[in-house]
């Protein structure tokens, strides 16, 4: 059965200030993101799905509405979904000093676990902005990171992974292309190559590929490809994106219909990243 993993990048309202086009701040969009998380939770009940939510840590800090989303984080965990970290305030990791990099990794995990309680353990990390895309030891270089490793440890996936391992994370979602792959496929990575990106593990730590993003036709193609070849598939989505364009919510509804058919035929199971990795490690 194909294992489908939806990873939601839950940026929370603080990221509208610290990261994404801060001068386009729209208050209503902050409220809509939270409403969209509720729609997503509803879809999980319909599909019998478990999702992974990578939450910006500041949302789990005690503050004021709409920035304080502790009640949402608690609801996500209570419904059996995985909560991962999406950094503390959606920083551009390649620009951080070693101290800042360590603190965003450490503080986000601490505060999310504190918010959920019950000895919950945050195991996953999703890179804000999908950066860095460089991974020096894998000969993957992206000028778009705009900083150079090892002057900046956050400018290489390997550098970030070192801090994550130190703080007992188990996985990170990555998006990178080695030089040889870029050269072999200079005209842009083909869909099939991207759908077939592999999981990679080193010393018990896992690098999780991103196969598709949002819920347009490309993602539907990825689902059909994964079912046909019986491959695991990781899809990245953003609750905030549903409000950005109406088409995005329509696409998600279509996606739920398509996936629901596969679920009924027992061709797809929607699971969390950590449950999938446990299955790979222990065969349970
Ligand atoms: Zn994000």
């Amino acid at each position: 059965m194909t294992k489908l993993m939806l990873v939601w990048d839950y940026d929370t309202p603080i990221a509208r200030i610290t990261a994404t086009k801060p001068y386009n701040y729209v208050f209503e969009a902050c409220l809509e993101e939270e409403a969209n998380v509720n729609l997503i939770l509803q879809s999980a009940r319909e599909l019998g799905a478990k999702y992974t939510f990578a939450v910006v840590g500041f949302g789990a800090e005690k503050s004021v509405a709409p920035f304080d989303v502790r009640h949402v984080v608690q609801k996500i965990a209570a419904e059996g979904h995985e909560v991962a970290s999406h950094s503390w305030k959606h920083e551009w990791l390649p620009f951080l000093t070693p101290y800042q990099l360590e603190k965003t990794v450490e503080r986000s995990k601490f505060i999310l676990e504190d918010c959920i309680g019950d000895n919950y353990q945050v195991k996953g990390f999703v890179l804000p902005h999908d950066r860095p895309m460089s991974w020096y030891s894998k000969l993957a270089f992206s000028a778009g990171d705009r900083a150079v490793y090892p002057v900046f440890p956050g400018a290489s996936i390997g550098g970030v992974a070192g801090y994550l391992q130190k703080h007992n994370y188990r996985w990170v979602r990555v998006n990178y292309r080695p030089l040889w792959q870029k050269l072999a496929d200079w005209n842009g990575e083909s869909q099939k190559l991207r759908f077939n990106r592999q999981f990679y593990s080193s010393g018990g730590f896992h690098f999780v590929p991103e196969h598709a993003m949002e819920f347009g036709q490309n993602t539907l193609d990825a689902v059909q490809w994964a079912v046909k070849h019986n491959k695991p598939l990781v899809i990245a989505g953003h609750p905030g994106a549903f409000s950005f364009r109406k088409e995005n919510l329509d696409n998600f509804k279509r996606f739920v219909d398509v996936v629901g058919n596969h679920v009924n035929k027992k061709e797809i199971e929607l699971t969390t990243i950590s449950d999938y990795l446990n299955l790979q490690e222990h065969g349970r």
Side-chain angles (χ1 to χ4, degrees), residues 9 11 86 90:
D9 297 12
D11 291 335
H86 192 30
H90 213 278

Side-chain angles (χ1 to χ4, degrees), residues 9-12 15 19-20 54 56 86-87 90 126-130 173 238:
D9 297 12
Y10 186 8
D11 291 335
T12 82
T20 41
V56 168
H86 192 30
S87 80
H90 213 278
V126 169
L127 303 167
H129 311 276
D130 264 349
R173 195 187 75 203
H238 295 77

Side-chain angles (χ1 to χ4, degrees), residues 228-261:
K228 187 176 167 199
H229 298 278
N230 194 23
K231 297 272 191 172
L233 194 76
V234 177
I235 299 168
H238 295 77
F242 288 179
S243 310
F244 187 58
R245 276 190 308 169
K246 191 190 168 293
E247 183 192 319
N248 291 341
L249 182 56
D250 293 341
N251 283 347
F252 181 62
K253 287 178 178 165
R254 189 165 60 125
F255 171 88
V256 169
D257 283 345
V258 170
V259 169
N261 278 328

Side-chain angles (χ1 to χ4, degrees), residues 13-260:
I14 194 69
R16 294 188 174 276
I17 298 168
T18 60
T20 41
K21 298 179 183 157
Y23 310 107
N24 286 344
Y25 178 82
V26 181
F27 178 71
E28 286 70 23
C30 296
L31 305 181
E32 282 169 16
E33 185 186 39
E34 185 176 325
N36 293 337
V37 170
N38 284 312
L39 281 177
I40 290 164
L41 291 174
Q42 175 63 34
S43 77
R45 286 178 223 119
E46 287 166 21
L47 292 171
K50 296 295 177 213
Y51 298 146
T52 303
F53 289 80
V55 186
V56 168
F58 185 81
E61 299 275 4
K62 183 177 182 184
S63 62
V64 290
F67 301 97
D68 185 336
V69 295
R70 285 178 293 170
H71 54 290
V72 187
V73 175
Q74 286 159 357
K75 187 173 174 185
I76 289 169
E79 296 194 14
H81 304 287
E82 177 169 5
V83 175
S85 165
H86 192 30
S87 80
W88 190 68
K89 58 169 180 171
H90 213 278
E91 297 94 331
W92 186 270
L93 298 191
F95 287 166
L96 298 187
T97 65
Y99 176 79
Q100 290 172 318
L101 182 59
E102 175 145 26
K103 288 313 272 186
T104 192
V105 159
E106 181 187 26
R107 177 80 192 180
S108 60
K109 184 178 199 289
F110 163 77
I111 200 66
L112 287 165
E113 289 175 350
D114 187 64
C115 167
I116 297 165
D118 229 8
N119 289 321
Y120 190 85
Q121 282 185 21
V122 168
K123 294 178 178 143
F125 191 89
V126 169
L127 303 167
H129 311 276
D130 264 349
R131 296 284 173 176
M133 288 187 183
S134 299
W135 192 350
Y136 284 60
S137 63
K138 296 262 177 214
L139 297 183
F141 306 104
S142 171
D145 289 340
R146 290 153 52 209
V148 178
Y149 181 85
V151 182
F152 292 94
S156 176
I157 288 168
V160 177
Y163 288 94
L164 293 173
Q165 283 173 281
K166 182 178 171 191
H167 289 281
N168 298 318
Y169 285 86
R170 273 188 74 212
W171 62 263
V172 61
R173 195 187 75 203
V174 295
N175 192 357
Y176 72 99
R177 289 179 66 210
L179 200 58
W180 60 266
Q181 208 179 75
K182 279 190 185 175
L183 291 173
D185 198 25
W186 58 273
N187 208 10
E189 188 179 22
S190 73
Q191 250 193 354
K192 204 186 98 201
L193 273 177
R194 176 157 187 171
F195 298 165
N196 202 22
R197 286 179 176 181
Q198 304 291 308
F199 284 73
Y200 171 74
S201 302
S202 171
F205 187 79
H206 304 271
F207 298 85
V208 175
E210 183 183 311
H211 296 116
M213 191 190 267
E214 304 303 343
F215 302 96
Q217 188 58 46
N218 181 64
T219 294
L220 293 181
D221 291 347
V223 169
Q224 303 307 350
W225 185 89
V227 169
K228 187 176 167 199
H229 298 278
N230 194 23
K231 297 272 191 172
L233 194 76
V234 177
I235 299 168
H238 295 77
F242 288 179
S243 310
F244 187 58
R245 276 190 308 169
K246 191 190 168 293
E247 183 192 319
N248 291 341
L249 182 56
D250 293 341
N251 283 347
F252 181 62
K253 287 178 178 165
R254 189 165 60 125
F255 171 88
V256 169
D257 283 345
V258 170
V259 169

